[in-house]
C-alpha cells in the first residue's frame, strides 16, 4: 500500500485551501456566492469548506476566478479536486469499513506518524489476526463469518503501512490493563503480547506500557489517537472512537491538548526497554 496522500488527505487539504483563499481575499461566504452569480449558493460553499461536499472542477474554476488565483496555483488545486474524486483502497471492502470509519482509514493511509493511547485494547495496527477475531466475536452484533473475515482483511491491509517503503511512525502508550486483560484464549493472548514485543525491534515503532502503579493520569477518560502528516500544510488530527461512531478534532487548541496529554503519558510510562520486558513477562505468565 502506498503512503502517497490519498483522496481523503487531498480533500482535506483542498477544503483548507478554499477557506484560506477566501479569507485571504477578505470575502465572506455570502459575498462569494453573490460574485458567483447563481452558479452556487452559500450552503454549497460552506459545505465545500467543511468537507461535507466535494467541489467539482467546473465549480472550482469559478471560485479560483473570484479569488484571482494565478495559473500555477490554479493547476495544483484543480489536480487536487480531480484526485479527491478517486476511490480509496478501502472502498473495495464495502460495509467492512463503516461510513464513520472511512475518513479515519483515509487519513491513516496518508499519515506519516501516529501517537496513540490505548486504554483497553491493543491498537489495531499491532493486533494479530486471532486477537482481532476474538475481540470481534465479543461484540453483541459480531456478524457472520464472512463479515468477520472481511473486517480482518481490512485490518491486515491497514497494517501494511508499518512495513512499506516509507513506514508510518507509531508511538503507542498501552495502559497496563491492555496487556493484562485476556482476549480470546491464553494462547491467543500470549501470541499477541509476544507480537507487540517483537514489533518494538522496528526503528519506527515505540511502545510504552503505563503501569497501574503510575496512578492517576490525564487520559483516564479513554483512548485517543493523533495523526500527523508529512506536509506542513496538512495539520495534525485528533481522533476519538466509540462503538457507533467517532469524533475528529481539527482545531489547533484541541489537537495540542491531546499532544500534551500524550507527552504526560510518555513521562509516566515505563521506558521502551522496561515495557518490552513487562510485555514478555506478562506473556510468559499466561
Amino acid at each position: 500500500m502506498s503512503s502517497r496522500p490519498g483522496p481523503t488527505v487531498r480533500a482535506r487539504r483542498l477544503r483548507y485551501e478554499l477557506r484560506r483563499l477566501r479569507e485571504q481575499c477578505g470575502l465572506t461566504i455570502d459575498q462569494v456566492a453573490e460574485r458567483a452569480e447563481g452558479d452556487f449558493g452559500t450552503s454549497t460553499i460552506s459545505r465545500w469548506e467543511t468537507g461535507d461536499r466535494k467541489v467539482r472542477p467546473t465549480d472550482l474554476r469559478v471560485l479560483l476566478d473570484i479569488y484571482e488565483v494565478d495559473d500555477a496555483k490554479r493547476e495544483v488545486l484543480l489536480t487536487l479536486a480531480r484526485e479527491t474524486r478517486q476511490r480509496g483502497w478501502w472502498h473495495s471492502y464495502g460495509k467492512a469499513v463503516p461510513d464513520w470509519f472511512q475518513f479515519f482509514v483515509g487519513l491513516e493511509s496518508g499519515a506519516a506518524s501516529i501517537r496513540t493511547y490505548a486504554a483497553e485494547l491493543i491498537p489495531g495496527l499491532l493486533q494479530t489476526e486471532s486477537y482481532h477475531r476474538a475481540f470481534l466475536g465479543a461484540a453483541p452484533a459480531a456478524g457472520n463469518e464472512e463479515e468477520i473475515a472481511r473486517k480482518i482483511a481490512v485490518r491486515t491491509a491497514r497494517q501494511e503501512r508499518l512495513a512499506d517503503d516509507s513506514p508510518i511512525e507509531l508511538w503507542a502508550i498501552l495502559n497496563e490493563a491492555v496487556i493484562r486483560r485476556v482476549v480470546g484464549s491464553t494462547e491467543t493472548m500470549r501470541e499477541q503480547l509476544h507480537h507487540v514485543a517483537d514489533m518494538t525491534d522496528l526503528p519506527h515503532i515505540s511502545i510504552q506500557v503505563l503501569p497501574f502503579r503510575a496512578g492517576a493520569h490525564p487520559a483516564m477518560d479513554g483512548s485517543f489517537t493523533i495523526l500527523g502528516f508529512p506536509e506542513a500544510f496538512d495539520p495534525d488530527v485528533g481522533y476519538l472512537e466509540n462503538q457507533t461512531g467517532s469524533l475528529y478534532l481539527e482545531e489547533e487548541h484541541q489537537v495540542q491538548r491531546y499532544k500534551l496529554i500524550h507527552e504526560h503519558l510518555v513521562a509516566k510510562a515505563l521506558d521502551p526497554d522496561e515495557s518490552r520486558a513487562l510485555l514478555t513477562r506478562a506473556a510468559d505468565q499466561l
Side-chain angles (χ1 to χ4, degrees), residues 31-47:
Q31 289 170 330
V32 174
E34 184 178 336
R35 296 190 183 191
E37 298 180 344
D39 287 327
F40 39 76
T42 55
S43 63
T44 299
I45 298 169
S46 178
R47 293 176 69 189

Side-chain angles (χ1 to χ4, degrees), residues 211-232:
F212 292 138
R213 69 172 183 269
H217 61 83
M220 294 180 69
D221 54 351
S223 305
F224 65 88
T225 297
I226 304 167
L227 299 106
F229 301 90
E231 302 292 347

Side-chain angles (χ1 to χ4, degrees), residues 124-139:
L125 293 181
L126 298 173
Q127 291 179 6
T128 63
E129 179 178 333
S130 56
Y131 179 96
H132 188 208
R133 183 181 294 276
F135 166 68
L136 291 175

Side-chain angles (χ1 to χ4, degrees), residues 195-239:
H195 174 69
V196 174
D198 290 343
M199 293 296 280
T200 63
D201 288 335
L202 299 175
H204 54 281
I205 295 180
S206 297
I207 297 172
Q208 294 178 254
V209 176
L210 183 67
F212 292 138
R213 69 172 183 269
H217 61 83
M220 294 180 69
D221 54 351
S223 305
F224 65 88
T225 297
I226 304 167
L227 299 106
F229 301 90
E231 302 292 347
F233 40 74
D234 290 328
D236 293 351
V237 179
Y239 175 75

